Amino acid sequence: LFLSLKLGNKTEGKHQKQICQIVLDHFEKQYTTELGDTWTRIRDVLMHPWCWQYAILLNKFSQSAELESALRVKGYHPAFQESLPYLPSSFRCYIRRTHGRFPAQKHQAGKLKEYFLLNAASLLPVLALEVKDGEDVLDLCAAPGGKSVAVLQCAYPGQFHLNESDVLRSRWLKQTIESFIPYPFINLIMFSTLDGRQIGDLKPELYDKVLVDAPCSNDRSWLFSSDIQQATLRLRQRKELSSLQFQLLRSAIRALRPGGSLVYSTCTLSKAENSDVINLILNSFTNVTPVDISGMAKAVSWEFAFLGGMQQHELLVLPEYGRAWGPMYIAKLKKMKT
């Protein structure tokens, strides 16, 4: 999730975007029911972009010792510790407790970017996927490309298939990859604009790992919908998203090799788009089993706040002051060998 909202003047009340009341009212009703008092704390963070934080994912293909030194001087520290079940040495990400944003890098022809600014919670699905060198990997809904870039910081897949059904977003995805990945490796990446719901039938049992970072009701950006009509339409269509998410997951399961695993993620707090979708999948497929990712949550609990009472195969990152990451839902499933 690339957070493009500009901080502007970092004092409360002076950020450039206005809260969309229709969306806020909708969230208020739904999330008070689903999350109780916890929603009040989350709402305060989501409504105040001045307190949002940005992680800095370093690009291993464009290493800079000076950059790491500069980050440490500015109070940044590594976001992920060795206690994580899966943390490749090439994967380096820096965060700090205070809000504010490191300057973004502009694209320069012929020069790779040194880092990617993003929501640190969006890296958790990639770490949960545990990609190893030589594995065939599908990123089913890949734009804008932050998670794809992160996968390539972890390992060198055998085949890396990046799919994005929206043609404009696919173009954006390709530009992002070209800004971070050198040419010999880009040639190993396959780009497509297929309907993600059909990939399982077109490419059955072809991948060891599949990432489904599904289209969802993006709580952060929806709150700042400047167009009332667009906001109203989004809220009307929200009920249909869980059906789309289920179909994408069904397709991903078909595309997985027996023994392969998938990670499902969204950037919404909505139970209908998170646990409900995963429970429906587990009830619909006898050859799919949940994978325990609670160890990952324990390893990063100092830097991330999680919703309690979740099942072992799922996590929900909750934004709070000083740890303004998420919302990010993550679930991991495995396709059993018959």
Side-chain angles (χ1 to χ4, degrees):
L1 253 190
F2 191 88
L3 299 173
S4 58
L5 197 60
K6 289 189 173 67
L7 287 177
N9 189 320
K10 294 191 190 74
T11 53
E12 187 171 2
K14 291 189 181 176
H15 51 74
Q16 296 154 316
K17 299 216 173 189
Q18 294 298 309
I19 299 286
C20 180
Q21 195 60 45
I22 295 171
V23 175
L24 181 59
D25 292 345
H26 178 88
F27 283 2
E28 199 74 37
K29 197 173 170 185
Q30 179 180 347
Y31 293 149
T32 301
T33 306
E34 291 181 13
L35 300 164
D37 293 342
T38 308
W39 163 242
T40 311
R41 298 198 305 275
I42 296 167
R43 181 190 61 201
D44 286 348
V45 174
L46 292 180
M47 286 174 65
H48 297 116
W50 61 268
C51 77
W52 293 4
Q53 292 156 275
Y54 297 83
I56 298 163
L57 177 66
L58 302 192
N59 185 10
K60 72 178 182 185
F61 300 107
S62 177
Q63 285 183 339
S64 164
E66 296 83 26
L67 174 60
E68 288 198 65
S69 304
L71 288 172
R72 288 181 188 275
V73 167
K74 288 181 181 290
Y76 285 86
H77 61 273
F80 304 103
Q81 309 301 328
E82 282 74 26
S83 54
L84 264 169
Y86 169 87
L87 186 67
S89 57
S90 56
F91 186 89
R92 300 198 316 289
C93 176
Y94 282 82
I95 59 174
R96 64 178 179 182
R97 279 292 166 98
T98 50
H99 57 262
R101 186 173 180 171
F102 203 69
Q105 281 186 314
K106 289 195 166 58
H107 177 72
Q108 290 177 273
K111 195 172 180 213
L112 294 178
K113 291 186 181 180
E114 294 178 340
Y115 57 88
F116 198 116
L117 295 180
L118 68 166
N119 184 331
S122 67
L123 296 171
L124 293 175
V126 174
L127 293 174
L129 197 60
E130 301 191 14
V131 176
K132 296 174 180 64
D133 288 350
E135 288 183 326
D136 295 324
V137 181
L138 167 64
D139 190 344
L140 193 69
C141 315
K147 292 181 181 68
S148 305
V149 168
V151 166
L152 291 164
Q153 302 306 315
C154 294
Y156 296 99
Q159 184 194 351
F160 196 21
H161 180 178
L162 306 187
N163 183 69
E164 175 52 55
S165 60
D166 185 288
V167 176
L168 276 176
R169 282 169 62 82
S170 181
R171 207 172 297 156
W172 181 16
L173 167 69
K174 203 164 186 185
Q175 284 173 348
T176 300
I177 296 297
E178 286 170 355
S179 295
F180 286 91
I181 312 302
Y183 259 96
F185 295 113
I186 286 184
N187 295 337
L188 302 174
I189 298 170
M190 177 186 161
F191 293 91
S192 67
T193 52
L194 299 165
D195 182 334
R197 294 169 292 188
Q198 296 169 357
I199 281 186
D201 292 328
L202 296 169
K203 299 181 179 293
E205 300 194 347
L206 214 61
Y207 303 98
D208 302 298
K209 302 278 167 73
V210 179
L211 177 62
V212 185
D213 185 41
C216 67
S217 46
N218 183 328
D219 294 350
R220 279 195 190 225
S221 66
W222 279 27
L223 262 179
F224 295 92
S225 303
S226 53
D227 184 333
I228 301 295
Q229 281 179 305
Q230 183 197 43
T232 310
L233 182 64
R234 278 173 167 172
L235 293 175
R236 204 176 300 136
Q237 292 174 335
R238 192 177 199 200
K239 298 182 196 73
E240 296 157 25
L241 280 168
S242 55
S243 171
L244 169 64
Q245 291 153 348
F246 176 82
Q247 290 171 58
L248 289 169
L249 273 169
R250 188 171 58 189
S251 175
I253 290 162
R254 288 180 182 146
L256 264 183
R257 290 185 179 125
S261 54
L262 73 81
V263 167
Y264 172 74
S265 61
T266 73
C267 49
T268 180
L269 298 160
S270 176
K271 185 172 169 286
E273 297 175 53
N274 295 339
S275 301
D276 290 357
V277 174
I278 292 297
N279 289 338
L280 188 57
I281 285 287
L282 289 170
N283 291 331
S284 305
F285 288 85
T286 53
N287 64 337
V288 172
T289 184
V291 178
D292 185 352
I293 53 172
S294 58
M296 185 171 87
K298 284 192 193 81
V300 297
S301 58
W302 172 246
E303 303 292 0
F304 297 88
F306 295 99
L307 181 67
M310 302 290 278
Q311 297 181 81
Q312 289 187 316
H313 61 272
E314 57 178 359
L315 307 170
L316 180 59
V317 181
L318 305 177
E320 60 176 40
Y321 284 109
R323 300 190 290 181
W325 312 115
M328 180 63 56
Y329 175 81
I330 303 131
K332 187 169 185 179
L333 307 173
K334 184 171 183 171
K335 186 174 185 175
M336 291 185 286
K337 292 177 178 174
T338 46

